[in-house]
Amino acid sequence: MVLQDFFELIAATEMNSEHPLAKAIVEYAKKIREDEEDPVWPEARAFESITGYGVKATVRNKEIIIGNKSLIVDQNIAIPVDGELMLAETETMAQTGILVSIDREVTGILAISDPLKPSAREVISILKSMKVRSIMVTGDNWGTANSIAKEVGIETVIAEAKPEEKAEKVKELQAAGFTVAMVGDGVNDSPALAEADVGMAIGAGTDIAIEAADIVLMKSNLEDVITAIDLSRKTFSRIRLNYIWALGYNLIGIPVAAGALFPGTGLRLPPWAAGAAMAASSVSVVLCSLLLKNYRRPKKLENLNIHGIKIE
């Protein structure tokens, strides 16, 4: 089987999937077909997406199965020794190994690397300084997950997690008393995004992930996670300040308006002055809240140079 035919079968199958890896495979297949700007792929029948594992379909009367090692093993398809070695090699290079089975025979392995965002390591470091604990929960293999976690400075890693297991991990953390924010971009992240106290979807992610999230990071910058957390803290700080101000104002103003000082000092507050004071209380709270319009992102991000890239 020539390379072009091989990728044609793969692309025809993956065209029906919304997974980011599937989109990457289709885009690569288009490069193989350089003669056509927008190639038409063969029809894929009986398409099935197996969440957390891969996809299956029939293309040109051939049974195509594309997915991780667990899917191939579950389908009782033998993985050759050289295939096992190639998978191990992809893990050491922090790549995701995707196996391709045609008519129940492993015919190829795709190595896909998802390059880290330039800001990843610095963002994790800043989150630590903000006393925010970062945990990586991924459906990828342990080798790739550990390699990436080590590179960015994440200590807790959970790999080969199915979508429901990601959501279950969120529940475990919540049960332990933690407030959980989940950042994700894929279909497999949507259950955890919905389960988390705050779900943050990357703007370039899938529609399902964006729909499940509470916050969408439109620029797809990880630095915006820090900005979102900082802004939420500033907002709650302002709410507490408003409560304290309003409570103190009323604790002093109401007794004076009721004449508590009159017996000893002869001081009393006319009704019109008491009404004006209450209005002033409401206005001061509103003005205090409106000061959030002057919010500026944390200074840690203002002049941050990330691997030669200045964050504006």
Side-chain angles (χ1 to χ4, degrees), residues 3-236:
L3 189 63
Q4 184 168 318
D5 292 338
F6 175 72
F7 273 101
E8 196 169 81
L9 295 175
I10 296 173
T13 304
E14 294 286 19
M15 273 289 292
N16 299 281
S17 174
E18 286 193 358
H19 198 285
L21 293 182
K23 293 178 180 179
I25 292 171
V26 173
E27 287 302 314
Y28 186 79
K30 288 179 181 178
K31 295 179 182 178
I32 302 295
R33 294 270 294 269
E34 293 178 348
D35 55 321
E36 299 179 49
E37 187 173 326
D38 190 14
V40 177
W41 308 109
E43 181 186 1
R45 301 192 308 273
F47 174 81
E48 181 183 356
S49 177
I50 306 168
T51 306
Y53 290 95
V55 295
K56 296 168 60 178
T58 301
V59 182
R60 290 180 176 168
N61 296 320
K62 296 180 183 294
E63 183 190 33
I64 312 297
I65 301 175
I66 306 171
N68 56 27
K69 182 179 178 180
S70 297
L71 176 62
I72 300 301
V73 172
D74 289 346
Q75 296 292 317
N76 295 318
I77 299 172
I79 302 176
V81 176
D82 56 345
E84 294 278 9
L85 293 174
M86 289 179 66
L87 282 176
E89 186 178 347
T90 60
E91 289 185 15
T92 59
M93 295 188 293
Q95 296 176 336
T96 302
I98 305 295
L99 291 97
V100 179
S101 166
I102 299 177
D103 287 335
R104 307 195 65 76
E105 181 181 350
V106 175
T107 54
I109 295 176
L110 306 175
I112 304 175
S113 62
D114 187 7
L116 286 171
K117 288 183 177 291
S119 58
R121 185 175 183 85
E122 284 77 6
V123 166
I124 297 299
S125 177
I126 293 173
L127 285 173
K128 283 183 180 178
S129 70
M130 296 170 68
K131 302 190 184 307
V132 176
R133 178 186 173 196
S134 299
I135 300 174
M136 177 189 288
V137 184
T138 176
D140 220 328
N141 61 74
W142 280 99
T144 302
N146 284 324
S147 177
I148 291 174
K150 184 177 180 181
E151 190 172 343
V152 300
I154 294 177
E155 297 173 357
T156 307
V157 181
I158 299 168
E160 298 179 7
K162 302 179 182 67
E164 59 273 16
E165 291 174 342
K166 293 181 180 181
E168 192 60 38
K169 182 60 182 177
V170 171
K171 290 180 182 178
E172 287 178 15
L173 291 168
Q174 289 171 331
F178 294 102
T179 300
V180 182
M182 170 71 183
V183 183
D185 64 352
V187 175
N188 295 343
D189 297 323
S190 55
L193 286 169
E195 190 66 43
D197 295 290
V198 180
M200 299 186 190
I202 303 297
T206 61
D207 293 338
I208 295 176
I210 291 173
E211 185 69 27
D214 302 296
I215 298 173
V216 179
L217 307 179
M218 299 304 296
K219 295 181 180 179
S220 300
N221 291 332
L222 287 178
E223 306 88 64
D224 288 340
V225 173
I226 295 171
T227 303
I229 293 173
D230 184 68
L231 177 57
S232 68
R233 288 179 173 179
K234 290 278 174 50
T235 302
F236 272 93

